[in-house]
Amino acid sequence: MYQYFLRRICIMGLTLVVISALVFIIIQLPPGDYLTTYIEELKAQGEVVDPKKITFLRSQYGLDKPMTTQYFVWLVGMLQGDFGYSFEYDLPVTDVVGDRMWLSMILNFATVLFVYMMSFPIGVYSATHQYSWGDHGLTFIGFLGLATPNFLLALILLYFANVWFGTSIGGLMEPEFIDQPWTWGKIKSVLAHLWVPVVVIGTSGTAGMIRRLRANLLDELQKQYVVTGRAKGLGELRLLIKYPMRMALNPFIADIGSLLPQVVSGSVIVSAVMSLPTTGPMLLSALQSQDMYLAGSFLMFLAVLTVIGMFVSDVLLAMLDPRIRLDGGVKR
Amino acid sequence: MSEDLKHFVSSAPFDPVSIEQLTPEQEKYYLASQWQMMWWRFKGHRLAVFAGIVLILSYLSIIISELIAPYALHTRHTDHIYAPPQAIHFMHEGDFVGPFVYPLNYTLNMDTLKREYSENTSEPRSIRFLCSGDPYEFWGLFDASFHFVCPDKKGTLFLMGTDRLGRDMLSRLIYGARISLTVGLIGITISFILGITIGGMAGYFGGWVDSSVQRVIEILKSLPELPLWMALSAALPANWSPLLIYLGITIILGLLDWPGLARAVRSKLLALREEDYAVAARLMGSTPKHIIGRHLLPNFMSHLIASATLSVPSMILGETALSFLGLGLRPPITSWGVLLSEAQNIESVALYPWLMVPMLPVVIIVLAFNFLGDGLRDAADPYD
């Protein structure tokens, strides 16, 4: 177990290094850099740009160094908690980001929790009542949830909130708490606002999860040991909870690997639509204005979030299921 | 003694296979090709067949968008900005006059600054069919003005309302299908080619090729798709022509989708390459490319097609999301995502809710692809 843990951590570290290189390449892809855009802007306003100032700025921001050096400076800086400099806000990235990363994390975590809490009972109901009206209805809703992109769902909710209540349900807290230190009141306000984006982001994940859980459980329910248990006079509920449900639980945890990237993706676009103070809207504007370090650290943060989440799910799965080989000796 | 035994000898001519004779149905079943059996199985899924028909009709419609749409793509009606959908009526003052709409009267509400339209029920404007109306260029090739449906010569026909420039939403939806529906197809082609090549190499050669491909897949799978798409499409130069941007977006969508397919191909190939016929082909000197493409892939091509069908919707949604955020396609290209990006301003949506109409085709097409994919997946393995 201990060895598996260590090996898994090593793999995670390597993955993150590769991802950081990938992210760095991606944010370098647009032609030119922030300074060229900035200079263009100044020129368009009719200002004369002193070439000396440009070279000064270039060396100031390290844009004159070769790419590999820039990458390593960025990587080492990130490890020390320095995420670089945001050109657009003229502030270090850590100051610009502020609470956003925490709020993003809370949002994503709450969504995953929601997906599990919703899909588990519904999935079990659907499987044990296969082809009943409830099952058909839930399946239909599930398909609809899968097919409706979550940003459209957000739009629809915003629309109805506007028409029915005349208010906006965007945002994650009451306006008076924005940029305030964390207090009890602020936490309560965040929790009160959190459920809308959580439901919106979680819907498609929940729909997918229900379908998978239903399929898994249906497979298990037809196995011999269930029949044996029933023949021996075990009560239906007890039988269900004691055996097949535990078997169907494994893929449930393993699925976090596909659920997390989906939730993170969803939260980015839903936050942009509902203007939540999370990483989504800022990532969007940073990408649009080529604020490379800001965009890069957001991308990196989202990737780290998913990779760590997957690590946790792997470890959990290894602890829960004794059949999983820990030494990984078998390749195929 | 031998005279006592009575032998019965049939006088009918001897037929050695009479016992094994098959009924015509059985014969048809046993002689059917794999694709034939898949088709029979697929036909059993009502929902999948229906979804398939919906998809075929939608894809056929993009060939003749110009004919179906009542207006051309960029036609503006400056005196009908944000006009609401016009309802089709049949009865006018108790008489049946065929399908018609009532013209709209425009007033500006000076309190809310909302554009208000009211129906002028005194003069019905009948809808014309198979008629000559708004001129257009058919696929940019030649000028024409033939439509299946057109408004009355003096009237208007906005079945789904108009947008902020007074353009007919329904026509724009029909034209938008051209872009939105093809994005997924081109993207899936790219990801299909990548997935088969990379997965095929990994599965066939094994060893370090396999393990490095596996690592790459793991990394790509652990990245959230949308932020990556956003970053890549933000990297497309702004001065590219609309067509190049369109191609760029499809390539981006396809580039990140292949890992799933590659994984499926790999795991199948790992098992299949040990089969006798694969060994025989190798011993007779076939190249790996030939063995994979000719002997191994056809074994599970149907599975691959089914799973590809299931990943088309994510591409359509990806394009919609990117365009909605303003990072994907940009006007003058018209896709459903571009149309929806007009609905981003929630205040204007609250006043003019028909701006959200492009959601409908998106949801319908995505649902149809899901149902079709489910049916195909069940039919893909007709022998079990």
Side-chain angles (χ1 to χ4, degrees):
Chain A
M1 185 73 211
Y2 191 61
Q3 218 181 350
Y4 171 78
F5 203 76
L6 274 182
R7 235 200 42 244
R8 201 58 195 69
I9 286 188
C10 286
I11 292 178
M12 187 172 74
L14 266 175
T15 312
L16 285 178
V17 170
V18 177
I19 288 177
S20 74
L22 212 67
V23 165
F24 190 77
I25 294 171
I26 289 173
I27 57 178
Q28 292 291 352
L29 271 183
D33 47 41
Y34 185 76
L35 270 189
T36 42
T37 342
Y38 178 67
I39 293 161
E40 285 297 312
E41 220 168 82
L42 283 185
K43 274 186 186 158
Q45 286 167 0
E47 281 184 41
V48 186
V49 190
D50 186 9
K52 266 189 201 145
K53 191 185 168 193
I54 297 172
T55 40
F56 171 74
L57 280 175
R58 247 177 224 294
S59 64
Q60 187 76 18
Y61 293 132
L63 291 171
D64 53 347
K65 298 203 182 69
M67 282 294 157
T68 41
T69 325
Q70 283 190 42
Y71 167 64
F72 281 111
V73 169
W74 182 62
L75 187 65
V76 172
M78 260 198 311
L79 290 178
Q80 293 165 345
D82 168 20
F83 289 89
Y85 199 80
S86 161
F87 302 119
E88 208 190 353
Y89 294 86
D90 226 350
L91 279 171
V93 167
T94 24
D95 293 353
V96 179
V97 170
D99 277 346
R100 280 172 192 264
M101 292 212 176
W102 287 111
L103 286 171
S104 259
M105 235 143 101
I106 293 172
L107 180 64
N108 287 321
F109 183 72
T111 310
V112 171
L113 220 61
F114 168 79
V115 168
Y116 279 109
M117 282 187 333
M118 286 301 286
S119 53
F120 194 71
I122 298 180
V124 171
Y125 174 85
S126 263
T128 48
H129 297 73
Q130 195 190 8
Y131 301 138
S132 69
W133 276 108
D135 178 35
H136 280 307
L138 287 169
T139 307
F140 179 73
I141 295 174
F143 263 120
L144 218 57
L146 271 181
T148 316
N150 39 26
F151 68 99
L152 292 189
L153 204 60
L155 255 181
I156 296 172
L157 275 188
L158 281 177
Y159 169 71
F160 281 118
N162 209 322
V163 169
W164 287 338
F165 308 115
T167 55
S168 168
I169 49 170
L172 258 190
M173 57 192 89
E174 299 290 333
E176 74 236 34
F177 289 115
I178 292 174
D179 285 333
Q180 296 300 310
W182 284 90
T183 55
W184 205 209
K186 183 169 175 176
I187 292 174
K188 263 195 257 173
S189 169
V190 168
L191 287 181
H193 280 78
L194 201 60
W195 68 271
V196 183
V198 161
V199 169
V200 169
I201 301 165
T203 308
S204 65
T206 312
M209 200 62 116
I210 290 173
R211 289 199 64 70
R212 280 193 291 267
L213 183 67
R214 177 175 176 273
N216 283 330
L217 201 54
L218 278 178
D219 281 351
E220 290 298 327
L221 283 175
Q222 277 154 20
K223 293 218 168 130
Q224 298 262 314
Y225 67 88
V226 182
V227 180
T228 312
R230 195 171 289 141
K232 286 193 161 191
L234 216 53
E236 274 303 312
L237 188 70
R238 197 175 151 76
L239 174 71
L240 182 73
I241 293 171
K242 265 300 206 212
Y243 304 106
M245 219 154 91
R246 300 192 173 190
M247 293 295 289
L249 216 79
N250 271 339
F252 207 60
I253 291 165
D255 257 347
I256 203 168
S258 60
L259 179 68
L260 253 180
Q262 194 189 341
V263 165
V264 170
S265 281
S267 74
V268 167
I269 188 163
V270 167
S271 319
V273 173
M274 302 180 78
S275 58
L276 305 180
T278 57
T279 50
M282 222 176 206
L283 171 66
L284 185 65
S285 70
L287 283 173
Q288 275 162 344
S289 63
Q290 271 193 44
D291 195 348
M292 52 174 270
Y293 287 118
L294 192 58
S297 34
F298 279 134
L299 283 177
M300 202 57 216
F301 164 74
L302 294 176
V304 169
L305 206 64
T306 40
V307 170
I308 290 181
M310 281 163 129
F311 168 75
V312 171
S313 90
D314 273 7
V315 171
L316 265 183
L317 198 62
M319 289 197 306
L320 277 176
D321 191 346
R323 290 170 306 177
I324 289 178
R325 288 161 208 264
L326 295 182
D327 33 27
V330 180
K331 274 278 179 282
R332 41 171 236 258
Chain B
M1 289 284 271
S2 59
E3 302 93 87
D4 294 349
L5 286 171
K6 288 200 171 158
H7 287 277
F8 167 76
V9 179
S10 167
S11 58
F14 175 62
D15 179 7
V17 291
S18 65
I19 306 166
E20 293 156 23
Q21 199 83 65
L22 299 171
T23 61
E25 292 92 69
Q26 276 176 319
E27 190 161 10
K28 202 171 147 211
Y29 180 77
Y30 284 117
L31 289 180
S33 68
Q34 185 195 357
W35 295 99
Q36 182 82 58
M37 289 178 69
M38 274 159 52
W39 170 239
W40 288 337
R41 192 123 190 231
F42 178 73
K43 268 199 305 192
H45 291 267
R46 294 257 179 77
L47 204 55
V49 173
F50 180 69
I53 292 171
V54 168
L55 285 177
I56 289 173
L57 286 182
S58 340
Y59 275 96
L60 283 180
S61 88
I62 66 178
I63 302 174
I64 48 166
S65 306
E66 282 91 347
L67 304 184
I68 301 171
Y71 288 103
L73 178 57
H74 297 297
T75 307
R76 290 173 55 181
H77 306 267
T78 38
D79 44 352
H80 286 89
I81 286 172
Y82 285 132
Q86 286 174 293
I88 299 178
H89 301 270
F90 290 93
M91 312 290 280
H92 178 62
E93 286 164 1
D95 302 324
F96 180 78
V97 281
F100 68 90
V101 293
Y102 287 119
L104 295 171
N105 285 338
Y106 163 67
T107 46
L108 184 63
N109 184 333
M110 289 317 284
D111 294 332
T112 57
L113 288 183
K114 185 186 172 183
R115 292 165 188 278
E116 282 171 352
Y117 289 88
S118 55
E119 278 189 337
N120 175 3
T121 49
S122 58
E123 27 185 341
R125 302 267 188 234
S126 56
I127 299 170
R128 296 179 296 148
F129 294 96
L130 302 180
C131 44
S132 154
D134 207 13
Y136 55 82
E137 249 181 37
F138 190 71
W139 280 96
L141 295 176
F142 56 87
D143 293 320
S145 62
F146 177 79
H147 295 263
F148 289 145
V149 178
C150 349
D152 189 273
K153 284 207 173 96
K154 285 176 288 180
T156 55
L157 180 64
F158 306 125
L159 295 181
M160 290 185 184
T162 63
D163 66 1
R164 81 194 144 81
L165 293 176
R167 294 172 295 193
D168 178 34
M169 284 299 277
L170 178 64
S171 305
R172 288 171 67 71
L173 267 189
I174 293 170
Y175 278 94
R178 241 180 213 172
I179 301 293
S180 288
L181 289 179
T182 50
V183 156
L185 284 196
I186 300 179
I188 205 70
T189 316
I190 294 168
S191 105
F192 211 71
I193 294 169
L194 279 176
I196 286 179
T197 324
I198 298 174
M201 286 202 307
Y204 188 78
F205 295 116
W208 67 270
V209 182
D210 183 27
S211 42
S212 46
V213 166
Q214 285 287 90
R215 290 293 93 72
V216 173
I217 290 179
E218 263 165 36
I219 290 173
L220 280 182
K221 281 231 151 192
S222 68
L223 283 173
E225 232 171 17
L226 191 74
L228 218 57
W229 278 343
M230 282 163 63
L232 285 172
S233 51
L236 293 178
N239 53 0
W240 275 14
S241 74
L243 190 70
L244 272 179
I245 294 268
Y246 168 71
L247 285 178
I249 296 283
T250 52
I251 290 172
I252 288 172
L253 292 176
L255 269 185
L256 294 181
D257 187 72
W258 60 267
L261 271 177
R263 228 175 218 186
V265 172
R266 171 190 167 270
S267 60
K268 289 267 182 188
L269 277 191
L270 275 179
L272 285 176
R273 67 170 182 179
E274 310 294 343
E275 294 276 333
D276 287 345
Y277 60 87
V279 177
R282 191 155 53 238
L283 291 179
M284 289 168 94
S286 294
T287 56
K289 193 180 151 202
H290 182 85
I291 299 176
I292 296 175
R294 191 81 203 150
H295 299 296
L296 301 183
L297 271 186
N299 276 301
F300 52 100
M301 205 53 187
S302 49
H303 286 271
L304 289 185
I305 291 174
S307 53
T309 314
L310 282 171
S311 56
V312 173
S314 74
M315 297 203 176
I316 293 179
L317 288 183
E319 184 275 323
T320 312
L322 285 178
S323 305
F324 176 78
L325 289 176
L327 286 173
L329 304 172
R330 288 184 278 269
I333 292 194
T334 308
S335 76
W336 294 334
V338 173
L339 290 178
L340 275 174
S341 68
E342 299 227 335
Q344 222 173 15
N345 181 354
I346 198 66
E347 280 77 31
S348 66
V349 170
L351 292 179
Y352 315 111
W354 52 91
L355 291 179
M356 294 201 293
V357 162
M359 278 183 203
L360 278 182
V362 173
V363 173
I364 291 172
I365 292 295
V366 169
L367 265 182
F369 265 113
N370 273 325
F371 288 139
L372 178 73
D374 269 357
L376 283 181
R377 194 166 49 185
D378 281 355
D381 208 354
Y383 297 110
D384 64 27

